[in-house]
Amino acid sequence: MKRQAFKLGVGAAVFAAAAGSAFAQEIRIGLQEDPDVLDPHRARTYVGRIVFTSLCDKLIDVNDKLEFVPQLAESWSWNDDNTELTFKLRKDAVFHDGTPFDAAAAKANIERAMKLPDSMRKSELTSVQEVSAPDAETLVLKLKSPDATLLASLSDRSGMMLSPKTFTDDTAAVGRKPICSGPYQFVQRVQNDRIVLEKFDKHYNAGDYAFKRVTFLPIPDSTVRLSNLRAGGLDILERMNPSDAQQVKSDPSLQFANVSGLGYQQFYFNVGNGKRAETNPFKDARVRRAFELSLDRNVINEVVGGGIFEPANQPFPPASPFHSDKFPIPARNVAKAKALLKEAGKETVKAELAFGNNTTTSAIAEMVQAMAAEAGFQLSLRPTEYAALLSEAQGGNFELLMRGWSGRVDPDGNIHQFVTCKGGQNDGRYCNPEVDKLLNDARKVPDVEKRRALYDQAQKIMQDETQAVYLYYQPWPFVLSQKVKGFHPSPDGMIRLKGVSFAQ
């Protein structure tokens, strides 16, 4: 009964709150989707990163100013030519199975992330030539060439540490019961229902974490998610429906915590991944461009986004020093879209739009379907549970895909793995060797101005080819119960529970 309570709306949430009152030190967090695999080397969802933030410590973290700060590594330094990165590790960290965290364990993790056949971190670590552990507190990464992106990668899933004892031939076992070294340890997962973590008392910062238990509840319907929060079945929710912003702000029982993020929402085309690419009308760049011209980003922002979905036309948000003013957002132009389709030999285009099945993206998909129809596109809609959507996309089972990316501190994390020919998340198999060269060169250049010039050149090519259609920059609108104290939203969209508590 209690399992269903969080999915059934207000009345059920009241029951859940009453039933859960015995667990006063349990915080319940509502997620928009169910995470994919709980293995940081193989995972790719934003909500998975939220869970990992409590479960798996990293070598380094980022603060609310997006500066790198110590976590499992106390310090780090480069050699003179930036081809060797040395970490000094803390001595008091242990994994949830009781084994100590040390340089040998860190080495095993980095090598697994580099070599595991289905690792999503490979493209983030391509610069690493060799990993060594000269002593228990020292980890050394020797690089093939300078890599300006590496610290940012190691502040995310590439730098998350699992107990090497779990590294067996049964790769999937890690995701079924992840054993990390974070402030909370894994207890239970019920697919599409809940993920339960319990406080790890041996964590080096255990005293900074108030809650005995953290329960993550995937609730795709934003109305139900908000109703559960109001009724006490949830304490925090991520990604409130933007149309609810005004009523949330005026509700004295709630706190609205919004922050501009680093990511984006985009439309992505299958141009080379499997059989569906062979017959995909979007293989023609003119059709891709016509689709973009059928859209009005401003209307989507006003109607669905509640004014917080800032229109986008590139992978770098305005807060990034790599955001370029050379690529203005194209205005909607139905006549030009029709002309491009005619030039491509098409009066109408029939295609399928796949997207994550939640309230906000469903509303966007329906608006896009109506807008595109005016230009000659007949889009059928395929709402899919988000983790399943990404799995199908990886296998090439899509023509047109709407997906979000939570964003990274370094610009490389917002573009390289999605557009390079062998990028780990290049599900559409777009491939342009010149783009590869420019983005690979940008990884080696620490100077911001020189890097920006390389990104601008790569973007010019991708814009000309309409490699993807960026829709809006991703904000992070959190809503909290008034009893939650000490929570600060971060631009990376993570929920950090250090210093968070309930008011007494």
Side-chain angles (χ1 to χ4, degrees):
M1 180 70 174
K2 188 179 175 187
R3 179 195 303 177
Q4 296 175 342
F6 296 97
K7 305 297 177 69
L8 298 178
V10 176
V14 171
F15 173 83
S21 61
F23 300 101
Q25 290 307 307
E26 176 188 20
I27 187 166
R28 291 159 294 192
I29 300 172
L31 305 178
Q32 184 166 280
E33 301 106 12
D34 194 38
D36 59 344
V37 62
L38 293 180
D39 178 344
H41 301 153
R42 299 165 54 223
R44 56 188 295 184
T45 59
Y46 161 64
V47 286
R49 291 175 65 220
I50 291 179
V51 174
F52 287 137
T53 297
S54 291
L55 181 65
C56 299
D57 279 350
K58 305 165 287 190
L59 288 175
I60 57 177
D61 199 6
V62 293
N63 61 19
D64 57 4
K65 297 179 181 178
L66 302 178
E67 299 165 331
F68 298 123
V69 294
Q71 198 165 78
L72 288 172
E74 294 182 328
S75 64
W76 53 92
S77 59
W78 292 94
N79 66 349
D80 290 341
D81 62 0
N82 295 317
T83 58
E84 194 169 280
L85 177 60
T86 300
F87 290 96
K88 289 296 181 180
L89 308 179
R90 60 186 313 137
K91 307 175 184 67
D92 55 353
V94 295
F95 291 107
H96 299 149
D97 59 6
T99 59
F101 166 75
D102 57 16
K107 178 178 184 291
N109 273 270
I110 299 294
E111 290 179 340
R112 181 178 187 263
M114 292 168 59
K115 298 175 182 178
L116 196 68
D118 59 346
S119 171
M120 289 292 161
R121 313 281 81 84
K122 284 182 180 180
S123 63
E124 299 171 4
L125 297 169
T126 53
S127 64
V128 179
Q129 178 176 317
E130 181 184 345
V131 187
S132 62
D135 59 60
E137 287 85 44
T138 306
L139 176 71
V140 181
L141 276 59
K142 184 177 180 180
L143 310 187
K144 301 168 189 174
S145 59
D147 183 356
T149 75
L150 188 56
L151 282 177
S153 295
L154 295 174
S155 73
D156 194 49
R157 286 169 293 198
S158 287
M160 289 180 185
M161 297 288 121
L162 294 151
S163 171
K165 279 192 173 182
T166 64
F167 299 166
T168 67
D169 291 338
D170 183 5
T171 302
V174 169
R176 290 194 295 268
K177 187 179 179 181
I179 297 176
C180 293
S181 64
Y184 292 91
Q185 59 188 328
F186 180 82
V187 174
Q188 177 195 32
R189 179 177 193 175
V190 180
Q191 205 78 30
N192 295 308
D193 185 273
R194 67 188 57 212
I195 295 170
V196 181
L197 309 182
E198 187 175 86
K199 185 174 178 179
F200 182 53
D201 290 330
K202 294 182 180 178
H203 188 265
Y204 50 88
N205 276 338
D208 293 331
Y209 293 86
F211 304 107
K212 296 296 184 183
R213 175 171 288 202
V214 182
T215 300
F216 297 94
L217 298 147
I219 306 175
D221 189 307
S222 62
T223 300
V224 174
R225 204 157 65 246
L226 183 58
S227 294
N228 273 266
L229 181 66
R230 282 195 164 116
L234 294 173
D235 303 302
I236 298 176
L237 66 80
E238 56 91 10
R239 280 179 293 176
M240 167 205 72
N241 190 330
S243 63
D244 293 330
Q246 291 307 313
Q247 61 166 299
V248 166
K249 290 177 182 178
S250 62
D251 189 332
S253 71
L254 301 176
Q255 303 177 64
F256 179 50
N258 186 53
V259 65
S260 297
L262 303 172
Y264 49 77
Q265 189 80 205
Q266 70 172 171
F267 291 100
Y268 203 66
F269 308 101
N270 186 355
V271 297
N273 189 357
K275 291 184 178 180
R276 295 203 70 176
E278 296 173 7
T279 58
N280 188 1
F282 290 110
K283 284 194 72 172
D284 190 319
R286 293 168 295 187
V287 177
R288 300 195 295 270
R289 179 64 173 165
F291 171 72
E292 178 173 35
L293 290 171
S294 75
L295 305 181
D296 192 322
R297 293 167 172 85
N298 290 317
V299 170
I300 291 171
N301 177 32
E302 293 166 8
V303 176
V304 182
I308 66 172
F309 282 1
E310 183 178 358
N313 195 36
Q314 59 186 285
F316 310 133
S320 169
F322 298 93
H323 181 86
S324 177
D325 59 5
K326 295 179 180 178
F327 310 107
I329 295 169
R332 188 180 193 226
N333 191 328
V334 173
K336 188 173 180 180
K338 288 181 176 180
L340 280 168
L341 289 186
K342 187 174 182 180
E343 184 181 317
K346 301 176 184 297
E347 291 293 331
T348 60
V349 170
K350 292 184 178 181
E352 179 188 75
L353 168 58
F355 57 95
N357 187 19
N358 64 67
T359 310
T360 302
T361 51
S362 294
I364 293 172
E366 290 172 5
M367 283 196 71
V368 167
Q369 183 185 45
M371 287 178 177
E374 295 180 22
F377 290 91
Q378 297 176 10
L379 298 179
S380 61
L381 304 184
R382 175 161 64 95
T384 307
E385 189 274 325
Y386 195 66
L389 178 75
L390 294 182
S391 178
E392 291 189 14
Q394 191 174 13
N397 183 23
F398 74 100
E399 292 176 326
L400 173 64
L401 177 75
M402 178 166 58
R403 70 179 183 189
W405 180 242
S406 53
R408 297 296 180 269
V409 175
D410 190 274
D412 181 84
N414 275 17
I415 189 170
H416 191 282
Q417 59 189 319
F418 300 106
V419 306
T420 52
C421 296
K422 295 183 179 180
Q425 299 197 54
N426 184 359
D427 296 326
R429 300 294 190 271
Y430 168 83
C431 184
N432 185 312
E434 181 60 21
V435 170
D436 276 31
K437 182 180 185 305
L438 289 165
L439 295 183
N440 287 333
D441 287 348
R443 284 182 155 186
K444 304 171 187 176
V445 178
D447 182 84
V448 171
E449 292 301 324
K450 292 178 180 178
R451 275 188 95 189
R452 184 190 292 122
L454 292 167
Y455 284 126
D456 282 355
Q457 291 177 58
Q459 281 208 79
K460 177 64 167 60
I461 297 170
M462 292 186 292
Q463 295 268 348
D464 289 346
E465 297 179 342
T466 317
Q467 174 270 328
V469 174
Y470 296 93
L471 188 61
Y472 61 84
Y473 298 112
Q474 180 68 62
W476 300 124
F478 296 97
V479 187
L480 296 76
S481 163
Q482 278 292 352
K483 70 178 181 179
V484 177
K485 302 300 178 185
F487 174 79
H488 301 284
S490 174
D492 66 359
M494 296 301 99
I495 295 176
R496 292 175 171 85
L497 295 176
K498 184 177 180 180
V500 179
S501 63
F502 289 152
Q504 299 300 315

